Amino acid sequence: MKDLEDDRTAILAVIDAETQAYLRRDYNSWQECWHDGPEIRRIHAHVGTGVTVVAGSEIRTQMHRLLTENNDWQVPDAIQRENINVVISAEMAWVSYDQTGDMSSIPKELAGHYHELKILHKIDGSWKIACIVGTQTRIDHVRAPLVEVDETARLLWMNEAAKDHLPEHPMLGIRGERLHAVEPEAQRELLDAVAWIAKVRDRHTPCVGEDAVTRAIALGQDDTGLAHICWAILRDGKLLITFGDTDRLERQLASAADVYGLSRTQERLARELIDGRDLSAAATALGISPNTAKTHLQRIYDKTGIRAQPALVRLLLNADQRGV
């Protein structure tokens, strides 16, 4: 038992030494923590760059370049680990944990969250890292409100933005531990969207990326006449609802404009209609006459094949989902 505890202490010390060397950009100390052989691997799934796999001596070449050259990137100030799990055999060990990097000194930077697995070999009595697998989840890097639900819309989790804004949302709330839309039609659409995304996820369809598994739900207008929208999306294998995401709305409208060949003015008019304004108010907001706005709307109808504003809004919000 004492030998096992000694191994555990030594293993965690190696992992911590490698992390500290990385934070200090100390290549020599970093490489002392690693086994040297063609079988070693460094595998990362990163939000921005996708999956990278580096093997053998290329790991040292890459890390030497990363830690010794002048770079404009900034490392975290510190790293914290949680949920540490260690499995030890005679000559190998597996260590998994959740890791958070403190990025508070970097303006507008979100904390870096990783789920890591490290495999170590015991070589001549010393533990060395032989493989690292790091995965970064996209939902950890979203500023907009996110609510995780199951296939029946039962609430499972929400981020801090959702905790702040969901209680005051006029068209969306929680009823009986489930996410609930105030308008009956919106509630039906919400449940249908969640069930559809759950079905897509369970199929594990390789040709459909997560970005395609999205459905917009028109929640209706509040007492001020402002229209509200939420999206049911698939991220990191989770069923999520997001709302109040103006960046997503702008991207969606840009995609719709590209799909249907809308002009910039027509795209802006569509945005005004999505926000709940009637044609006259939309014309005023755009600084054009009602007749000009009517002409642009007719051209949007001609390009999309839609003849009613509610159906048009629904089409534009889901324009790039036609092949899913």
Side-chain angles (χ1 to χ4, degrees):
M1 183 63 71
K2 185 179 184 301
D3 289 343
L4 192 63
E5 284 300 317
D6 289 344
D7 279 335
R8 177 185 171 88
T9 299
I11 288 165
L12 294 178
V14 170
I15 290 174
D16 189 58
E18 189 224 21
T19 299
Q20 294 306 314
Y22 168 79
L23 294 177
R24 298 193 309 269
R25 301 191 187 189
D26 180 352
Y27 172 76
N28 290 330
S29 296
W30 175 89
Q31 61 91 23
E32 289 177 1
C33 300
W34 274 76
H35 174 48
D36 188 8
E39 71 275 17
I40 64 175
R41 295 290 185 273
R42 191 168 185 265
I43 305 166
H44 274 96
H46 191 276
V47 168
T49 57
V51 177
T52 59
V53 181
V54 187
S57 61
E58 180 59 25
I59 295 176
R60 278 179 163 74
T61 301
Q62 182 189 76
M63 291 303 295
H64 185 271
R65 183 168 58 246
L66 185 69
L67 297 178
T68 61
E69 293 182 357
N70 291 326
N71 295 292
D72 57 4
W73 60 278
Q74 292 178 269
V75 300
D77 294 330
I79 284 178
Q80 178 179 345
R81 299 187 189 92
E82 297 179 328
N83 303 320
I84 299 174
N85 182 51
V86 182
V87 178
I88 304 172
S89 66
E91 296 181 350
M92 294 188 69
W94 296 258
V95 184
S96 62
Y97 49 84
D98 299 325
Q99 177 172 285
T100 303
D102 179 6
M103 311 293 283
S104 58
S105 66
I106 306 174
K108 298 183 179 180
E109 188 69 31
L110 291 172
H113 298 281
Y114 273 93
H115 306 282
E116 288 201 340
L117 167 69
K118 283 190 170 90
I119 300 175
L120 295 88
H121 285 184
K122 196 172 189 179
I123 302 169
D124 297 329
S126 298
W127 289 100
K128 301 287 185 178
I129 298 170
C131 179
I132 176 174
V133 180
T135 60
Q136 188 178 43
T137 55
R138 298 175 71 182
I139 64 172
D140 292 331
H141 295 262
V142 175
R143 298 179 186 274
L146 282 180
V147 179
E148 183 186 356
V149 297
D150 67 9
E151 62 276 8
T152 67
R154 183 170 62 89
L155 186 66
L156 300 177
W157 167 88
M158 65 176 73
N159 66 1
E160 292 301 318
K163 291 176 184 177
D164 290 339
H165 296 293
L166 184 58
E168 61 190 34
H169 199 289
M171 310 302 295
L172 196 64
I174 301 172
R175 179 183 294 180
E177 298 184 351
R178 283 177 166 76
L179 197 65
H180 181 80
V182 173
E183 295 291 335
E185 179 60 27
Q187 175 65 6
R188 285 191 289 272
E189 289 190 19
L190 175 64
L191 294 177
D192 286 346
V194 169
W196 171 72
I197 289 178
K199 184 180 296 185
V200 173
R201 179 189 62 180
D202 293 344
R203 276 192 256 143
H204 300 291
T205 309
C207 60
V208 177
E210 281 189 337
D211 287 332
V213 189
T214 303
R215 183 169 291 179
I217 300 106
L219 297 173
Q221 295 181 334
D222 61 25
D223 293 339
T224 68
L226 180 65
H228 293 270
I229 304 157
C230 71
W231 288 267
I233 63 177
L234 178 65
R235 289 291 182 274
D236 303 323
K238 301 178 185 297
L239 309 179
L240 299 167
I241 306 296
T242 183
F243 56 90
D245 191 342
T246 55
D247 290 341
R248 177 180 293 277
L249 178 56
E250 295 296 340
R251 291 195 305 270
Q252 177 59 46
L253 280 176
S255 176
D258 183 60
V259 169
Y260 293 107
L262 304 184
S263 70
R264 177 57 181 159
T265 300
Q266 291 162 6
E267 182 182 345
R268 292 173 61 206
L269 176 61
R271 173 60 190 269
E272 297 296 324
L273 298 178
I274 288 172
D275 282 344
R277 294 182 177 88
D278 60 25
L279 196 58
S280 177
T284 300
L286 296 178
I288 59 178
S289 71
N291 283 338
T292 300
K294 185 176 181 180
T295 298
H296 280 299
L297 180 59
Q298 183 59 52
R299 288 174 179 167
I300 295 174
Y301 284 157
D302 292 341
K303 291 177 179 180
T304 61
I306 298 295
R307 297 300 173 191
Q309 286 188 29
L312 176 65
V313 169
R314 184 174 292 104
L315 179 73
L316 295 178
L317 290 176
N318 294 283
D320 54 356
Q321 311 307 318
R322 295 175 297 166
V324 180

